[in-house]
């Protein structure tokens, strides 16, 4: 049990230093850890780390005592959750935030941004993001994280895609896109083809989603747990 | 509970001399509200005496008979519209045994909740009773063996009453000043943190997570013994309550809208295997229902469909056995809700091949027409089925008592709204699906003109399809839920041949097992 394990350690350590994750695992419903969790959100922002468990725990404690809710911190949790895409974390957080709050800014803006990302409307997303720098800039790594998500969706879908489609999705153009492509070609197995009418095609490295034939071998096999049903008969 | 054979049974208590007259009076006026709950009819007396005796003798079979059958029968016959005799009145017949009285009161309140409308005071007293009972169990002061059915019902009822209290408290408009004063004064009663902490404490004190872990490598046999402990002379109560509290946590988290944490709590129980949970039908259905619902909200449709199919098949096969059960109506209700959830899941993720024939034909019969409408993006149907099938969501925080409004629908409305916005985000996907099924390759421009959208919009819709049909599992791997697979090369959508390769391996395994079973039956036949 988590609690026993944690409680057993102090013998070795004079000043026990538990990670916030351990504290959450042991006290998932303890309102006393609320201030620590709030500080931990800021720590995640500063150190570019992320803990869904800790953040959901904080939202849960807010849900139990709405008067203690700190809107700025909730907004930061949501920005971090957007950055966790393709994981559904943004929705998971929204399930716990009172509807009344969701009708106000900054939540309205964040909901719009999430909607654009969920429906792959990257052009609209980047435009809207540019208009709302004040919410997003406080969280370092935001732009890179969303670009990462866009690349994830593109590589699920495309073998070869026109350069402008890529440019729009990751919000890069001209020289900076050239530089980005150079880097991907050098280290991630991308390549670029010229098209007859001018322009470029970007070739993404194969994975089992854009090259479905890579997946075949798994489908034909029988999982061990199914075979294990026969063990009693065989012995 | 100490065993002491000398002090039970024996004669009427003199204080109940007026019994015959009273009985007549009650027969004439069945609805009489101020019927004397201090009066203990003979049958009730022998009920408590025997139940007490069987509990002390650790006769689980007889306890279960009395609990499941006698209690229901007596309730039906004598206490249809009135509470059972108060605990003080029956206590003399059971040696004033403290634990037995707590158990009796637990039944007493449950009966009030099931057949009457509990008053605020009764709700509060029931909370106190659970606290006393759980505290004694948590301190290891019981050595009873109780039927798993009863222990499950305890956890189930504990959460039901919590949820009921939250709903009751949220309707502030109709509260009297006195009720408001009580609610304000006793904020700790049915407090969400208290409820969660009791469940958590039962899990931790029982050490159940470690036990289930040890079970896997065979160093304990909790599952094999179905949670009972006859040889060791110990008690199953704490262990099994701890076990059911795992399901309890899943349920409470779902009621709060915290699906991710709920599923995380359930990890120690593998719902794809038999276990103690699957030996109590109510528990099995509850577990899978919340599991399915949470997975639906997390967009893990394939997982939801598989679990739904599995439990609906079980209900289908065993329905006859439960007809006499007091929970039959509830089983039927959950059955309908699960079909509604399955219809929703299949509309968002048409993986019909995951559904067995029996379940499929029932589904067509019950929801066929609605599924067609959902395929055409009829949002009203999603709304209707979701509202019918969702749990009773709660707002856990105490209200603002200065603002007398009803807010009991708030939590439900929020979950519904978020679900419908998910549906809206997926609205182009079903027509993409139907076109892709017709082609092995199609230019984006052509597909766009079929769908009556421009090319950039179609590219977005295709990406949305990919995003919505691919989810991350707990290890961060990408899992595809897609029924139609495709990739885009340049400006052409290439559709992957979705011919299903027959899984001969599974087919043979199934038939080897069937054959083995048949041989077993033949061997046992006496000629």
């Amino acid at each position: 049990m988590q609690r026993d394990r944690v409680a057993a350690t102090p013998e070795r350590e004079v000043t026990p230093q538990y990670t916030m994750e351990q504290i959450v695992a042991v006290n998932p419903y303890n309102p006393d850890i609320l201030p620590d969790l709030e500080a931990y959100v800021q720590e995640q922002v500063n150190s570019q780390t992320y803990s869904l468990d800790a953040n959901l725990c904080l939202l849960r404690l807010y849900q139990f005592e709405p008067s203690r809710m700190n809107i700025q911190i909730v907004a930061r949790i949501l920005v971090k959750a957007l950055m966790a895409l393709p994981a559904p974390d943004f929705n998971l957080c929204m399930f716990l935030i009172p509807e009344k709050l969701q009708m106000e800014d900054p939540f309205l803006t964040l909901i719009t941004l999430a909607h654009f990302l969920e429906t792959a409307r990257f052009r609209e997303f980047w435009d809207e993001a540019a208009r709302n720098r004040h919410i997003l800039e406080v969280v370092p790594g935001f732009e890179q994280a969303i670009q990462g998500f866009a690349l994830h969706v593109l590589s699920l879908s495309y073998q070869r895609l026109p350069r402008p489609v890529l440019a729009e999705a990751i919000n890069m153009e001209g020289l900076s896109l050239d530089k980005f492509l150079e880097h991907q070609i050098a280290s991630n197995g991308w390549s670029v083809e010229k098209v007859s009418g001018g322009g470029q095609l970007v070739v993404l490295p194969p994975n089992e989603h854009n090259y479905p034939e890579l997946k075949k071998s798994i489908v034909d096999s029988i999982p061990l747990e199914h075979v294990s049903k026969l063990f009693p008969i065989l012995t | 509970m100490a065993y002491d054979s000398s002090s039970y049974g024996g004669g009427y208590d003199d204080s109940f001399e007026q019994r015959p007259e009273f009985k007549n009076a009650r027969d004439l006026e069945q609805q009489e509200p101020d019927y004397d709950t201090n009066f203990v009819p003979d049958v009730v007396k022998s009920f408590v005496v025997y139940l007490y005796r069987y509990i002390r003798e650790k006769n689980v079979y007889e306890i279960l008979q009395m609990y499941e059958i006698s209690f229901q029968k007596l309730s039906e016959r004598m206490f249809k519209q009135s509470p059972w005799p108060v605990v003080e009145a029956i206590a003399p017949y059971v040696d004033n045994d403290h634990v037995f009285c707590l158990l009796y009161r637990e039944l007493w309140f449950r009966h009030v909740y099931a057949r009457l409308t509990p008053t605020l005071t009764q709700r509060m007293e029931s909370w106190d009773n659970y606290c006393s009972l759980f505290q004694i169990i948590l301190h290891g002061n019981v050595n009873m063996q109780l039927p798993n059915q009863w222990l499950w019902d305890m956890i189930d009822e504990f959460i039901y009453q919590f949820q009921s209290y939250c709903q009751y408290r949220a309707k502030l408009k109709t509260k009297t000043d006195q009720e408001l004063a009580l609610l304000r004064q006793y904020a700790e009663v049915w407090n969400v943190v208290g409820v969660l902490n009791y469940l958590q404490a039962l899990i931790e004190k029982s050490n159940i997570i470690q036990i289930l872990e040890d079970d896997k490598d065979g160093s304990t046999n909790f599952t094999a013994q179905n949670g009972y402990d006859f040889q060791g002379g110990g008690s199953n109560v704490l262990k099994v309550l701890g076990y059911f509290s795992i399901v309890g946590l899943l349920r409470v988290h779902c009621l709060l809208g915290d699906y991710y944490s709920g599923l995380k709590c359930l990890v120690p129980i593998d719902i794809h295997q038999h276990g103690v949970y699957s030996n109590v039908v109510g528990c099995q259905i509850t577990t899978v229902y919340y599991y399915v619902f949470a997975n639906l909200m997390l967009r893990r449709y394939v997982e939801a469909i598989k679990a739904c199919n599995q439990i609906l098949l079980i209900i289908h096969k065993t329905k006859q056995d439960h007809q006499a059960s007091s929970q039959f109506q509830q089983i039927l209700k959950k059955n309908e809700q699960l079909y509604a959830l399955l219809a929703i899941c299949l509309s968002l993720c048409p993986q019909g091949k995951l559904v067995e024939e029996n379940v499929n034909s029932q589904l067509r019969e019950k929801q066929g027409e609605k599924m067609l409408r959902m395929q055409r993006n009829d949002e009203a149907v999603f709304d209707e089925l979701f509202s019918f099938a969702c749990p009773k969501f709660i707002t856990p925080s105490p209200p603002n008592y200065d603002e007398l409004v009803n807010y009991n629908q708030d939590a439900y409305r929020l979950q519904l709204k978020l679900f419908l916005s998910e549906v809206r985000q997926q609205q182009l996907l079903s027509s993409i699906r139907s076109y892709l099924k017709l082609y092995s390759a199609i230019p984006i421009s052509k597909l766009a003109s079929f769908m009556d959208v421009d090319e950039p919009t179609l590219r977005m819709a295709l990406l949305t399809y990919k995003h919505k049909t691919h989810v991350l599992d707990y290890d961060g791997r990408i899992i595809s839920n897609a029924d139609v697979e495709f990739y885009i090369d340049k400006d052409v959508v290439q559709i992957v041949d979705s011919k299903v390769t027959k899984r001969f391996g599974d087919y043979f395994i199934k038939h080897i097992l069937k054959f083995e079973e048949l041989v077993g039956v033949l061997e046992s036949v006496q000629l």
Side-chain angles (χ1 to χ4, degrees):
Chain A
M1 302 277 345
Q2 297 275 20
R3 182 170 291 175
D4 296 341
R5 218 183 301 140
V6 176
T9 38
E11 290 164 24
R12 280 188 286 120
E13 293 164 277
V14 185
T15 46
Q17 281 292 315
Y18 304 125
T19 67
M20 204 58 220
E21 303 249 274
Q22 284 171 315
I23 293 170
V24 168
V26 179
N27 302 280
Y29 315 115
N30 185 351
D32 297 344
I33 66 169
L34 193 143
D36 295 331
L37 284 168
E38 289 182 330
Y40 191 54
V41 173
Q42 194 52 47
E43 197 186 314
Q44 291 172 56
V45 168
N46 296 340
S47 60
Q48 300 205 33
T49 54
Y50 181 58
S51 168
L52 175 64
D53 286 308
N55 295 349
L56 284 180
C57 183
L58 178 56
L59 291 177
R60 169 161 67 232
L61 296 175
Y62 283 152
Q63 198 187 18
F64 297 167
E65 293 177 82
S67 57
R68 294 175 76 177
M69 168 126 33
N70 180 326
I71 291 188
Q72 273 220 328
I73 287 176
V74 177
R76 273 172 207 181
I77 290 177
L78 286 173
V79 175
K80 287 297 255 182
L82 275 184
M83 293 163 65
L85 274 163
D89 299 10
F90 187 83
N91 277 349
L92 299 184
C93 296
M94 294 301 281
F95 290 138
L96 301 176
I97 298 172
E99 194 181 356
K100 253 186 249 161
L101 264 190
Q102 299 191 11
M103 317 272 230
E104 296 166 17
D105 254 330
F107 301 102
L108 268 184
T109 306
L110 288 167
I111 291 168
T112 310
L113 289 170
H115 180 75
F116 287 150
L117 289 176
E118 285 283 341
T119 49
R121 288 150 77 173
F122 293 110
R123 156 66 41 85
E124 287 155 277
F125 168 82
W126 292 114
D127 289 349
E128 184 71 18
R131 280 193 288 274
N132 292 283
R133 286 188 191 287
H134 59 287
I135 310 173
L136 307 169
E137 256 171 5
V138 288
V139 183
F142 180 76
E143 207 172 290
Q144 293 90 314
I146 302 301
Q147 284 166 339
F149 168 64
L151 290 177
H152 158 83
V153 181
L154 290 174
S155 65
L156 287 180
S157 314
Y158 282 99
Q159 286 185 352
R160 295 185 293 174
L161 76 159
R163 180 178 158 125
V165 176
L166 174 68
E168 187 179 291
I170 60 173
N171 199 31
M172 278 188 193
E173 274 171 311
L175 277 178
S176 59
L177 183 56
D178 286 338
K179 237 176 145 184
F180 171 81
L181 283 170
E182 255 169 56
H183 171 76
Q184 296 292 350
I185 291 165
S187 45
N188 291 327
W190 292 33
S191 56
V192 174
E193 289 175 5
K194 285 250 179 301
V195 192
S196 50
Q200 281 179 326
L201 268 184
V202 179
V203 185
L204 297 176
N207 61 59
E208 63 176 63
H209 304 288
N210 63 0
Y211 283 83
E213 50 271 33
L214 293 174
K215 200 163 55 173
K216 275 271 162 59
S217 56
I218 315 162
V219 179
D220 291 338
S221 59
I222 307 169
L224 179 66
E225 52 192 289
H226 291 192
V227 182
S228 69
K229 287 179 191 159
L230 293 178
F231 290 173
I233 300 172
L234 296 172
T235 50
Chain B
M1 195 180 278
Y3 186 79
D4 181 6
S5 63
S6 63
S7 55
Y8 71 87
Y12 289 141
D13 191 308
D14 286 354
S15 59
F16 294 114
E17 263 172 305
Q18 296 164 351
R19 195 179 301 115
E21 289 88 341
F22 188 80
K23 212 173 192 173
N24 290 338
R26 201 168 69 86
D27 285 343
L28 291 173
E29 283 180 69
Q30 281 238 324
Q31 303 290 339
E32 186 65 61
D34 50 9
Y35 142 75
D36 183 3
T37 51
N38 279 310
F39 167 66
V40 183
D42 284 357
V43 279
V44 170
K45 199 184 111 191
S46 64
F47 175 81
V48 293
V49 165
Y50 277 102
L51 184 60
Y52 179 50
R53 180 164 138 194
Y54 291 136
I55 288 176
R56 282 184 309 167
E57 291 172 355
K58 297 193 179 181
N59 188 337
V60 176
Y61 175 79
E62 290 295 346
I63 299 171
L64 184 61
Q65 298 302 308
M66 299 207 67
Y67 170 79
E68 273 230 292
I69 299 167
S70 312
F71 185 78
Q72 295 304 331
K73 267 194 185 152
L74 285 175
S75 298
E76 187 62 32
R77 223 175 77 204
M78 313 194 50
F79 306 107
K80 230 175 167 165
Q81 272 137 9
S82 58
W84 276 60
V86 292
V87 66
E88 291 78 10
I90 63 101
Y93 303 112
V94 294
D95 304 340
N96 291 305
D97 186 285
H98 184 48
V99 176
F100 184 89
C101 287
L102 292 173
L103 290 173
Y104 178 84
R105 284 192 97 200
E106 202 264 334
L107 286 176
W108 192 92
F109 284 116
R110 206 183 314 162
H111 173 259
V112 169
Y113 271 82
R115 295 190 180 252
L116 314 162
T117 313
T119 63
L120 177 54
T121 319
Q122 283 169 338
R123 289 171 188 273
M124 292 179 156
E125 284 171 357
S126 182
W127 162 254
D128 282 343
N129 193 59
Y130 274 115
C131 292
S132 312
L133 188 59
F134 287 157
Q135 265 156 25
I136 285 180
I137 292 167
L138 283 169
H139 286 99
N141 292 336
V142 293
N143 60 357
M144 308 174 284
Q145 298 271 352
L146 289 182
N148 288 351
Q149 175 75 55
W150 191 346
L151 296 171
W152 161 252
D153 289 343
M154 237 181 245
I155 296 294
D156 189 46
E157 181 74 11
F158 178 61
I159 297 172
Y160 168 74
Q161 291 189 15
F162 161 62
Q163 173 223 296
S164 167
Y165 190 84
C166 290
Q167 296 285 347
Y168 168 87
R169 186 178 56 186
K171 291 177 205 156
L172 284 176
K173 273 186 186 166
T174 47
K175 296 279 174 290
T176 64
D177 288 345
Q178 197 192 357
E179 284 168 336
L180 287 172
L182 272 176
L183 283 169
R184 237 189 257 254
Q185 190 183 349
Y186 297 103
E188 80 286 355
V189 169
W190 290 115
N191 180 292
V192 61
V193 175
V195 169
L196 286 163
N197 277 336
Y198 270 118
L199 296 173
Q200 181 79 4
L202 287 167
I203 292 171
E204 292 190 3
K205 274 276 179 182
S206 64
N207 205 21
I208 188 66
I209 292 177
Q210 190 57 47
I211 292 174
L212 289 172
E213 204 48 49
D214 292 345
D215 250 22
K216 280 186 202 150
D217 54 36
S219 52
T220 55
N221 50 8
F222 177 79
T223 309
Q225 301 254 18
N226 196 19
Y228 293 107
D229 186 0
F230 292 111
Q231 280 87 34
S235 163
N236 69 333
V237 173
L238 178 57
K239 265 187 296 181
V240 176
L241 279 179
Y243 179 90
F244 288 139
S245 296
I246 295 174
V247 180
L249 281 184
L250 164 69
R251 179 170 167 196
V252 176
H253 279 293
C254 283
L255 295 178
L256 296 169
D258 193 353
Y259 311 107
Y260 172 86
S261 307
L263 287 177
K264 219 172 165 189
C265 293
L266 190 69
V267 167
I269 298 179
D270 180 358
I271 67 143
H272 300 294
Q273 306 251 339
H274 278 288
V276 174
Y277 82 99
S278 60
N279 290 326
V280 177
V281 64
C283 174
Q284 185 179 23
I285 295 174
T286 300
T287 310
V288 178
Y289 166 77
Y290 286 102
Y291 180 84
V292 166
F293 191 81
N295 273 294
L296 165 65
M297 297 304 269
L298 290 181
R299 248 171 36 213
R300 295 183 185 149
Y301 304 122
V302 165
E303 194 50 43
I305 292 168
K306 282 184 188 163
C308 222
N309 172 60
Q310 187 194 355
I311 191 72
L312 284 169
L313 205 60
I314 292 169
I315 298 176
H316 180 76
K317 283 181 183 161
T318 58
K319 212 150 76 179
Q320 310 307 329
D321 310 343
H322 305 302
Q323 238 151 19
S325 157
S326 55
Q327 294 173 349
F328 188 60
Q329 287 310 317
Q330 279 188 41
I331 293 175
L332 288 184
K333 172 90 199 269
K334 276 279 169 287
N335 189 52
E336 297 306 308
Q337 287 184 314
L338 281 160
Y339 271 111
L341 290 179
L342 183 58
I344 293 175
C345 290
L346 284 171
S347 301
L348 294 170
C349 173
Q351 297 266 31
K353 62 178 186 291
L354 298 173
V355 181
E356 303 249 355
E357 200 38 55
N358 281 332
V359 176
N360 196 34
S361 63
Q362 288 277 309
L363 178 71
R364 298 292 145 194
E365 197 177 299
K366 289 175 198 289
Q367 307 288 357
E369 190 256 283
K370 284 183 183 146
M371 285 178 76
L372 278 177
R373 286 168 59 195
M374 284 192 284
Q375 256 166 45
R376 293 196 300 264
N377 293 315
D378 188 339
E379 201 177 296
V381 181
F382 282 105
D383 184 328
E384 179 194 330
L385 289 188
F386 182 90
S387 304
F388 169 71
C390 71
K392 275 201 175 257
F393 299 110
I394 49 176
T395 303
S397 56
N400 174 5
Y401 291 111
D402 299 325
E403 205 182 314
L404 295 183
V405 293
N406 287 355
Y407 65 99
N408 55 315
Q409 296 284 310
D410 286 12
Y412 151 72
R413 269 204 306 268
L414 173 62
Q415 304 301 316
L416 174 67
K417 182 176 156 185
L418 292 168
F419 170 74
L420 289 179
S421 77
E422 179 66 49
V423 169
R424 235 166 281 145
Q425 287 174 0
Q426 301 196 26
Q427 65 182 351
L428 276 179
L429 305 194
S430 72
S431 63
I432 288 185
R433 263 187 195 103
S434 51
Y435 281 115
L436 291 186
K437 277 183 190 156
L438 303 175
Y439 294 88
S440 57
I442 180 171
I444 286 187
S445 55
K446 193 169 163 192
L447 184 54
S449 73
F450 284 163
M451 291 187 52
D452 213 9
V453 292
D454 58 12
E455 259 187 68
T457 307
L458 182 69
R459 279 189 197 268
M460 289 187 297
L462 290 168
L463 291 181
T464 306
Y465 178 94
K466 282 284 187 172
H467 168 55
K468 296 292 188 188
T469 53
H470 290 73
V471 289
L472 299 180
D473 71 1
Y474 282 107
D475 307 320
R477 278 176 309 183
I478 304 167
I479 305 285
S480 169
N481 284 337
D483 53 319
V484 187
E485 299 269 13
F486 68 85
Y487 58 87
I488 310 166
D489 189 28
K490 240 171 111 183
D491 299 317
V492 180
V493 186
Q494 303 280 347
I495 294 97
V496 181
D497 186 10
S498 63
K499 212 185 287 167
V500 190
T501 43
K502 275 255 187 235
R503 307 271 301 258
F504 291 113
D506 280 341
Y507 180 80
F508 281 124
I509 289 173
K510 205 165 139 189
H511 281 271
I512 291 170
L513 289 172
K514 255 197 182 152
F515 180 69
E516 193 62 22
E517 206 184 304
L518 196 65
V519 170
V521 172
L522 287 174
E523 275 172 356
S524 67
V525 172
Q526 306 244 327
L527 290 174

